[in-house]
């Protein structure tokens, strides 16, 4: 069944409209407000306007789903130092007045990148950052607290403020926050960060970051230290730490849970839902504990989908009995339901065919860090213009602002963890802890529809026969399901599945469509007989559980656009000599998938080239390898 059967005809964009949008990509990406409203956008705080004018990178709010008025970016120039001899701790580099660092770095870009201003790709497992910090007077009024936020630091971070240890965090894929109020002076503060990232530790959740000195094949240059934005904000001691917004499409309602910094007896949680500038629902509930909860009925409910990505505005306020607002957070949500039935994926209770693209989320000048807000929009708009309705973010936990644009532009996302390579008890502890942080941070994004904890048995290399590793995969499925019942979960994407998975995701890089069609035709009549592709589709002792089949990696057609062949250039099944040969092979492969009724969708490898890997539909610097209209025609065939 075609995805268009679940989509009103009035929302089917013509190829001409889509291509016109693609041509205007670089111009239409404006500085967006931190929220999804369609009305007038508020002016940025003066500090942010000044930062943007001064050329500070990524000056926009890092979390459009959780915005307060009193915030300030800390991106830009920091002092920086390598510490290969690990002298920093014994020599107290964190102490005020200690040695000056010899380099400067442009945060939030890792030192391996060109945009950092350093561009050193050698192993440096310990690095240090320092910057001075003046706290705005408004941040300190009425006993308010100052919170320091780090979007992500790979891998272990320790933070000092004015020589005093403020806190630590382990996990390179999600952020953390520290209340630094009691360590601050009115002016002349000093923030120091030490990051430790063991480059060759194969039990580390590292994704595509290679543990060898030079990138090779499908493995890319490492990212160490701060690689997402840094900012601070001012809050009341009693404030909202996190929101958990759960849509209920079947009952036309939404549940809003606020996780407070501490119990706040005598206060009320006021929640306001608006759409197109009009208030649609509002309520106040008494805060009897630290997790007040509100439910709103939504009259004439508007649903979120890739063709109509409707976002409701949400304002959450913590109010005293006298009516004084202690905290106000601006957010948004989408009414979206994803489920499976009869071998198909359903969106909002209608069957929907998945046409995804594998997206590594790397950029030539900045690696894992999106270089600009416009760059994030460009990738999503371009993928949609080429016929895709979503992306499998491969081995990367993506920047929250990228997820915001997926929400706003209407683009499905499969959220995937960066995997380790080897199994150990330390790996399990690292992995499960970070997954819980990921779900807590990204729970509210309507574009996210699938969680993928493990890819191709990475981190569990003996899962086929090893009961312990099988149980780990099943545990990750149940952990994610226990944290988030609103999304689908895949136990082990690609092969060696257990019987605990919501989608039966398979990988196959067959060279031709004829080969692919012949191999998987049996799924239409005997789905339990899943073909083997290098590795068995099921781990030993498990049977197919009836979940929908999705071909989540295929194609990977390598084609070089201009220039000479690089020494370490790499692609699946050889490199096509011409654009015509690339397109012919691509059309045959896609036709083989879409003509087989057993598949509920596909994910093509991949959106862009990355370093030496040239399997992209775009070059590494985002130039299409063929007319996007031609790609769209091929990927939307049915």
């Amino acid at each position: 069944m075609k995805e268009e059967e679940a989509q009103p005809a009035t929302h089917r964009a013509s190829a001409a409209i889509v291509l016109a949008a693609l041509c205007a990509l670089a111009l239409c990406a404006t500085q967006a407000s931190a929220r999804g409203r369609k009305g007038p956008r508020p002016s940025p705080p003066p500090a942010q306007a000044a930062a943007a004018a001064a050329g500070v990178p990524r000056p926009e709010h890092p979390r459009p789903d959780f915005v307060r008025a009193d915030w300030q970016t800390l991106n830009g120039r920091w002092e920086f130092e390598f510490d290969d001899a690990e002298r920093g701790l014994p020599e107290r580099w964190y102490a005020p007045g200690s040695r000056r660092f010899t380099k400067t770095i442009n945060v939030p870009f890792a030192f391996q990148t060109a945009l950092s201003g350093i561009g050193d790709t050698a192993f440096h497992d310990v690095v240090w950052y320092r910057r001075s910090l003046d706290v705005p007077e408004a941040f300190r009024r009425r006993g308010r607290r100052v919170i320091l936020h780090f979007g992500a630091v790979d891998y272990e971070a320790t933070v000092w403020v004015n020589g005093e240890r403020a806190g630590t965090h382990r996990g390179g894929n999600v952020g953390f926050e520290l209340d630094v109020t009691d360590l601050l002076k009115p002016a002349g503060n000093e923030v120091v960060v030490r990051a430790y990232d063991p480059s060759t530790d194969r039990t580390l959740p590292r994704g595509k970051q290679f543990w060898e000195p030079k990138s090779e094949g499908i493995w890319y240059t490492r990212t160490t230290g701060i690689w997402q934005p840094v900012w601070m904000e001012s809050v009341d001691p009693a404030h909202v730490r996190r929101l958990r917004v759960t849509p209920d499409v079947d009952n036309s309602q939404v549940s809003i849970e606020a996780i407070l910094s501490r119990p706040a007896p005598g206060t009320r949680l006021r929640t306001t839902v608006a759409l197109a500038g009009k208030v649609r629902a509002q309520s106040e509930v008494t805060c009897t504990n630290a997790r007040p909860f509100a439910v709103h009925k939504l009259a004439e409910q508007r649903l979120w989908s890739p063709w109509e990505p409707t976002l409701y505005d949400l304002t959450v306020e913590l109010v005293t009995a006298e009516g004084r607002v202690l905290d106000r957070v601006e957010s948004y949500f989408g009414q979206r339901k994803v489920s499976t039935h009869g071998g198909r994926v359903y969106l909002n209770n209608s069957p929907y065919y998945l046409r995804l693209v594998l997206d590594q989320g790397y950029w030539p000048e900045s690696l894992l860090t999106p270089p600009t807000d416009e760059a994030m929009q460009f990738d999503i708009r371009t993928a949609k213009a080429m016929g895709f309705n979503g992306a499998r973010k491969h081995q990367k936990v993506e920047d929250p602002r990228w997820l915001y644009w997926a929400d706003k532009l209407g683009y499905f996302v499969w959220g995937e963890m960066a995997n380790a390579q080897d199994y150990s008890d330390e790996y399990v502890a690292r992995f499960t802890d970070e997954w819980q942080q990921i779900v807590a941070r990204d729970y509210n994004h309507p574009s996210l529809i699938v969680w993928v904890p493990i890819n191709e048995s990475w981190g569990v290399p003996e899962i086929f026969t090893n009961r312990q590793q099988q149980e780990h995969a099943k545990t990750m499925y149940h952990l994610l399901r226990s944290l988030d019942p609103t999304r689908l979960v895949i136990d082990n994407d690609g092969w060696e599945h257990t019987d605990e998975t919501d989608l039966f995701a398979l990988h196959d890089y067959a060279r031709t469509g004829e080969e692919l069609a012949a191999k998987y035709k049996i799924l239409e009549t005997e789905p339990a007989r899943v073909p083997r592709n290098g590795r068995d589709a099921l781990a030993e002792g498990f049977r197919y559980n009836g979940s929908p089949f999705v071909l989540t990696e295929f194609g990977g057609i390598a084609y070089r656009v201009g220039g000479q062949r690089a020494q370490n250039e790499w692609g699946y099944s050889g490199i096509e000599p011409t654009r015509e040969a690339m397109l012919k092979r691509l059309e045959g492969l896609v036709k083989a998938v879409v003509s087989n009724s057993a598949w509920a969708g596909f994910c093509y490898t991949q959106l862009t080239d990355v370093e030496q890997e040239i399997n992209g539909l775009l070059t590494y610097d985002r130039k299409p390898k063929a007319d996007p209209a031609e790609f769209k025609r091929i990927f939307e065939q049915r």
Side-chain angles (χ1 to χ4, degrees), residues 516-531:
L516 198 64
K519 185 172 186 178
Y520 291 98
K521 184 173 180 58
I522 194 171
L523 295 182
E524 294 183 300
T525 55
E526 299 181 71
R529 295 180 60 187
V530 187

Side-chain angles (χ1 to χ4, degrees), residues 120-235:
D120 185 340
T121 60
F123 287 157
H124 298 289
D125 290 358
V126 181
V127 297
W128 291 74
Y129 301 77
R130 181 192 288 121
R131 70 159 288 161
S132 60
L133 176 65
D134 291 335
V135 180
E137 184 177 351
F139 280 28
R140 307 192 303 272
R141 69 183 185 274
R142 295 195 306 272
R144 291 173 67 83
R145 312 297 294 178
V146 176
I147 308 297
L148 187 60
H149 292 268
F150 292 86
V153 182
D154 197 356
Y155 175 73
E156 296 179 6
T158 305
V159 181
W160 293 265
V161 175
N162 296 325
E164 298 292 331
R165 184 165 168 157
T168 62
H169 179 262
R170 184 175 77 165
N173 300 285
V174 289
F176 61 98
E177 62 184 54
L178 300 169
D179 184 336
V180 297
T181 312
D182 299 333
L183 306 178
L184 292 171
K185 302 180 295 185
N189 296 282
E190 188 174 83
V191 177
V192 175
V193 180
R194 177 186 186 268
Y196 170 56
D197 184 26
S199 301
T200 60
D201 186 347
R202 290 167 54 95
T203 66
L204 198 74
R206 61 190 316 111
K208 288 299 194 83
Q209 301 181 55
F210 201 21
W211 51 92
E212 297 290 343
K214 186 177 180 181
S215 62
E216 179 181 336
I218 63 169
W219 307 106
Y220 314 141
T221 302
R222 293 163 301 285
T223 290
T224 295
I226 299 172
W227 68 277
Q228 286 187 18
V230 184
W231 73 104
M232 65 177 173
E233 63 180 353
S234 173
V235 299

Side-chain angles (χ1 to χ4, degrees), residues 237-277:
H239 60 273
V240 179
R241 289 195 60 198
R242 178 165 59 91
L243 291 174
R244 187 175 168 91
V245 183
T246 306
D248 182 350
V249 168
D250 294 338
N251 294 299
S252 299
Q253 65 185 30
V254 61
S255 301
I256 301 163
E257 183 180 18
I259 294 84
L260 305 184
S261 60
R262 67 186 190 187
T267 63
R268 302 187 307 277
L269 183 76
R270 179 192 296 156
T271 54
T272 304
V273 175
L275 184 63

Side-chain angles (χ1 to χ4, degrees), residues 192-397:
V192 175
V193 180
R194 177 186 186 268
Y196 170 56
D197 184 26
S199 301
T200 60
D201 186 347
R202 290 167 54 95
T203 66
L204 198 74
R206 61 190 316 111
K208 288 299 194 83
Q209 301 181 55
F210 201 21
W211 51 92
E212 297 290 343
K214 186 177 180 181
S215 62
E216 179 181 336
I218 63 169
W219 307 106
Y220 314 141
T221 302
R222 293 163 301 285
T223 290
T224 295
I226 299 172
W227 68 277
Q228 286 187 18
V230 184
W231 73 104
M232 65 177 173
E233 63 180 353
S234 173
V235 299
D236 190 89
H239 60 273
V240 179
R241 289 195 60 198
R242 178 165 59 91
L243 291 174
R244 187 175 168 91
V245 183
T246 306
D248 182 350
V249 168
D250 294 338
N251 294 299
S252 299
Q253 65 185 30
V254 61
S255 301
I256 301 163
E257 183 180 18
I259 294 84
L260 305 184
S261 60
R262 67 186 190 187
T267 63
R268 302 187 307 277
L269 183 76
R270 179 192 296 156
T271 54
T272 304
V273 175
L275 184 63
K278 180 180 178 182
V279 173
R280 301 302 176 100
Q282 189 174 58
S283 72
E284 288 191 15
V285 296
T286 302
C287 298
T288 57
N289 56 42
R291 299 179 75 101
F293 191 86
V295 178
H296 290 290
K297 292 291 291 185
L298 300 174
E300 300 179 353
Q301 172 182 239
R302 293 276 301 278
L303 301 179
W304 185 96
S305 67
W307 63 89
E308 191 172 8
T310 301
L311 297 176
Y312 287 84
D313 290 320
L314 173 64
T315 303
V316 177
E317 298 167 297
L318 192 61
V319 185
T320 67
E322 298 76 29
R324 183 166 65 92
V325 177
L326 299 177
D327 192 23
R328 178 183 286 113
V329 173
E330 302 289 347
S331 187
Y332 65 87
F333 65 89
Q335 288 292 101
R336 185 267 301 128
K337 175 185 177 183
V338 59
S339 56
T340 62
H341 177 71
R344 288 289 176 263
V345 175
Y346 277 60
L347 173 67
N348 300 330
N349 296 320
S350 295
Y352 196 92
Y353 194 84
L354 298 171
R355 302 173 189 271
L356 309 179
V357 64
L358 195 77
D359 184 356
Q360 310 281 4
Y362 276 71
W363 284 265
E365 68 273 39
S366 56
L367 298 177
L368 284 175
T369 307
T372 64
D373 207 45
E374 290 78 10
M376 294 182 250
Q377 297 175 60
F378 181 92
D379 280 6
I380 295 172
R381 292 179 190 272
T382 303
K384 293 192 72 173
M386 294 192 298
F388 298 107
N389 53 36
R392 177 183 168 211
K393 294 302 296 192
H394 191 41
Q395 289 299 295
K396 180 187 180 185
V397 182

Side-chain angles (χ1 to χ4, degrees), residues 472-494:
H472 172 65
K474 294 176 69 172
T475 296
M476 293 311 304
Y477 172 87
H478 288 292
L479 173 65
L480 290 168
R481 272 301 203 174
S482 71
L483 295 170
D484 181 3
T486 71
R487 293 178 172 89
L488 307 178
V489 179
I490 299 172
D491 62 340
N492 183 18
D493 201 303

